[in-house]
Amino acid sequence: MLAEYAKNPYEIAVPRGDSSLLSSLRYLKGTSRFRKKLEERLNHMHGFYIPRLIESKNEK
């Protein structure tokens, strides 16, 4: 439940007392919010960032 509201792995690891942020990623990646954010970032990358890189490379 904590992972559903956390903004980053640190917000999960500290209350749980985890010594590593990697242990909290397991919980974070299982949330629907995380999947939605990941999907948004990938869409942005493929729709904006990569085409811009290709255009700048072609201009050189």
Side-chain angles (χ1 to χ4, degrees):
M1 194 162 109
L2 178 63
E4 197 62 50
Y5 298 101
K7 295 177 186 167
N8 56 57
Y10 183 78
E11 291 182 357
I12 298 169
V14 170
R16 287 176 30 90
D18 294 340
S19 59
S20 170
L21 292 178
L22 294 176
S23 60
S24 61
L25 289 178
R26 175 179 297 138
Y27 300 100
L28 190 60
K29 74 177 185 177
T31 65
S32 59
R33 185 176 52 85
F34 181 78
R35 286 191 297 272
K36 182 179 177 187
K37 282 190 170 287
L38 181 60
E39 195 174 293
E40 289 171 359
R41 305 265 187 206
L42 288 172
N43 285 336
H44 176 73
M45 184 176 71
H46 288 290
F48 177 74
Y49 183 71
I50 292 175
R52 194 175 81 183
L53 285 175
I54 292 170
E55 286 176 14
S56 68
K57 184 177 181 180
N58 288 337
E59 290 174 359
K60 291 181 181 182

